[in-house]
Amino acid sequence: VSRGLPASARPPHLFLYGTLMRGEPAHRLLAGRATFLAEATIAGVLLALGRFPGVVTGRGRVRGEVWRLDGPEVLRALDEYEGYNFERSTTTATLASGRRVRAWVYRYQGPRPRAVRAVIPDGDWRRHRWR
């Protein structure tokens, strides 16, 4: 988790790409604490890490959702959920409308799978998860 960035720091948005998205198992952590803004993409590569994905730096686009956070306490809860293999940092998310917003994202910092098949080529966790 990003040690130098307090939960109260900007931006007020969060980009989700995996188990925290609508309809996914951990979405309950956002219930009543954030408002869906739009489908969106960010730059990066999406890895399949078993029951969850992870974004890493690379050439590609990752599909997900942007949420407006109701308050900084949401980030504290999510930092705890994401654990030590993910670091919260800022990114630029491109909304479906083309508008760009600054948003928090949890980037994967843990061990990397060696297999090329760990990369989700289209950057879409939902499509990958149900294959």
Side-chain angles (χ1 to χ4, degrees), residues 40-115:
T41 62
I42 64 167
V45 172
L46 193 62
L47 301 179
L49 303 166
R51 295 185 323 247
F52 58 91
V55 165
V56 294
T57 303
R59 299 181 95 134
R61 300 297 293 175
V62 175
R63 296 177 181 277
E65 303 171 345
V66 170
W67 288 74
R68 184 177 300 113
L69 302 172
D70 291 349
E73 69 284 349
V74 181
L75 288 174
R76 284 189 281 278
L78 296 177
D79 286 351
E80 190 173 307
Y81 168 76
E82 292 292 357
Y84 60 90
N85 279 332
F86 288 85
E87 179 175 77
R88 179 166 41 92
S89 63
T90 58
T91 190
T92 299
T94 303
L95 307 182
S97 67
R99 181 175 152 226
R100 292 181 176 180
V101 297
R102 294 297 290 165
W104 292 113
V105 64
Y106 287 92
R107 295 187 184 279
Y108 182 66
Q109 304 293 317
R112 302 262 181 114
R114 293 181 195 267

Side-chain angles (χ1 to χ4, degrees), residues 14 16 20-22 26-35 65 67 69-70 74 78:
L14 176 66
L16 304 176
L20 288 164
M21 290 190 296
R22 294 173 296 169
H27 183 70
R28 61 181 162 54
L29 295 173
L30 287 177
R33 301 167 130 189
T35 305
E65 303 171 345
W67 288 74
L69 302 172
D70 291 349
V74 181
L78 296 177

Side-chain angles (χ1 to χ4, degrees), residues 45-48 112-122 128:
V45 172
L46 193 62
L47 301 179
R112 302 262 181 114
R114 293 181 195 267
V116 173
R117 67 175 190 238
V119 171
I120 300 172
D122 67 0
H128 171 81

